Amino acid sequence: MFQSKLKTILIAVFISGLTIAIILNPEQSLDASKRGLEIWWEVVFPSLLPFFIVSELLIGFGVVKFIGVLLEPLMRPIFRVPGVGGFVWAMGMASGNPAGAKLTVRMRQEKQLTAIQAERLVSFTSSSNPLFIFGAVAVGFFNNPTLGILLAASHYLSNLCVGLSMRFYGVTKEKPIQDHQRKSVIESFFGAFKELHVTRINEKRPFGKMLGDAVISSIQTLLMIGGFIILFSVFNKILAIIHVTEFIAFISSGVLALFHITTDLSIPLITGIFEITLGNQLTSETNGELLDKVIIASFILAFGGLSIQAQVASILADSDIRFKPFFIARLLQGVYASIISFLLFKPFYLNLQSFETSELPVIMISRGPEWATYYWEAIVHTGPIITLLSLCTYIFLYGKRYVFNRTI
């Protein structure tokens, strides 16, 4: 009872203090809010919306079950998750945070995962998408496209390491898995097709209704994500104004010195722990060895920032999936990514930099990491238009359903 009251007091004091700080610093709060809105408006919404909608349709038509049956012999022995985890992992890497969490919750609601399996799966399907790593971080912040190869390699390899580590999570609480009879490729394919067909037959909604549900559900999730991005952008600015960030950075500088990393990166590190984009930007602008910057940037990318973790926590709240294993996995991935980036710095960056352009294969010259520059600029310019049109579609569909339900 005392702990509950203490928690209530702390929450009330924190919210009140944040409100007062915003009132006392209106201009800085507005700038931070606008910055968060721009990130969501230009990049997050247009890049995630197609993946969310397509994922909902793939689940509804049974394609995910089809993929799950085919990937069962791979995913279950390696990661101790059903085959549908392969689909969630691939979509999570392609679309970025928090798609892995959203799809994991969806699979849990479909009863294709147990709670333990879902907690395992969400822990290693959280990642930044390649466009953000190459376009925003490597090109936009570091102005070094080749660096994207190193950051992406350390990021996705650390994802794999987390998956291998989390396979041991909850083993004692899980029922023993019965060995399934091995099937040939043809038998597995026909079994997967049968599951696809049964799921499609059982889905009673017409295509138009499924598409409308997918659009509404996806945009509602993205509106929630936008709120978190704006909130944490303001929160991060307030912490910097009242010098809390500097105080925590002073403490963390001792840890960086222990690993022979320049202490100038302590403030970018703490900033990145709260917000991934600003943290990476400050890391790129800090004076110091490039290797030190890469290690910190890799940690920030892997940890994801409390802003993204708050988004995931909100999504997981709709299910019985606990947030604690996810948070521990983010810390673990941050450590893995830092170590891997240190080990791969020479082969994946220094060695590539030493090559003459004429010595590289034609495909690397014509389709090198610079592709990210064009895609990133394109999405930044067209993103607001896509967001505006999508929101108009959402308002139309939601209003139409509201009127329809009122007339019944």
Side-chain angles (χ1 to χ4, degrees), residues 329-343:
R330 297 286 63 74
L331 292 172
L332 193 61
Q333 186 179 350
V335 173
Y336 284 151
S338 300
I339 295 173
I340 293 172
S341 62
F342 173 77
L343 296 175

Side-chain angles (χ1 to χ4, degrees), residues 33 54 186 258 328:
S33 180
V54 169
I186 297 177
L258 184 64
I328 295 173

Side-chain angles (χ1 to χ4, degrees), residues 227-243:
F228 275 110
I229 292 174
I230 295 170
L231 174 64
F232 271 84
S233 181
V234 174
F235 180 58
N236 202 22
K237 185 66 175 179
I238 294 298
L239 289 180
I241 292 172
I242 62 178
H243 304 293

Side-chain angles (χ1 to χ4, degrees), residues 71-191:
L71 294 180
E72 185 79 11
L74 176 66
M75 297 299 294
R76 195 174 289 275
I78 298 177
F79 302 108
R80 287 183 181 270
V81 297
V84 292
F87 168 79
V88 177
W89 193 17
M91 294 297 287
M93 286 193 296
S95 56
N97 294 304
K102 177 176 171 61
L103 293 174
T104 301
V105 170
R106 190 76 167 81
M107 294 296 101
R108 176 61 181 149
Q109 291 170 345
E110 293 274 325
K111 300 189 183 301
Q112 298 189 47
L113 298 168
T114 65
I116 294 293
Q117 290 171 345
E119 289 169 359
R120 252 185 233 137
L121 181 61
V122 75
S123 68
F124 72 94
T125 55
S126 175
S127 62
S128 298
N129 63 45
L131 184 63
F132 178 76
I133 296 174
F134 282 95
V137 180
V139 175
F141 298 153
F142 284 92
N143 195 27
N144 190 342
T146 308
L147 199 63
I149 299 174
L150 172 62
L151 292 173
S154 62
H155 189 67
Y156 296 123
L157 285 175
S158 63
N159 260 124
L160 175 63
C161 291
V162 169
L164 295 175
S165 300
M166 292 299 289
R167 76 182 302 275
F168 301 104
Y169 164 75
V171 175
T172 57
K173 302 178 183 178
E174 200 173 27
K175 294 180 180 179
I177 301 173
Q178 296 180 350
D179 293 332
H180 297 280
Q181 186 178 3
R182 289 188 176 181
K183 298 179 181 179
S184 64
V185 176
I186 297 177
E187 289 175 328
S188 297
F189 178 81
F190 279 106

Side-chain angles (χ1 to χ4, degrees), residues 369-381:
E370 287 80 1
W371 62 268
T373 308
Y374 305 113
Y375 280 101
W376 181 257
E377 291 177 352
I379 200 169
V380 167
H381 285 100

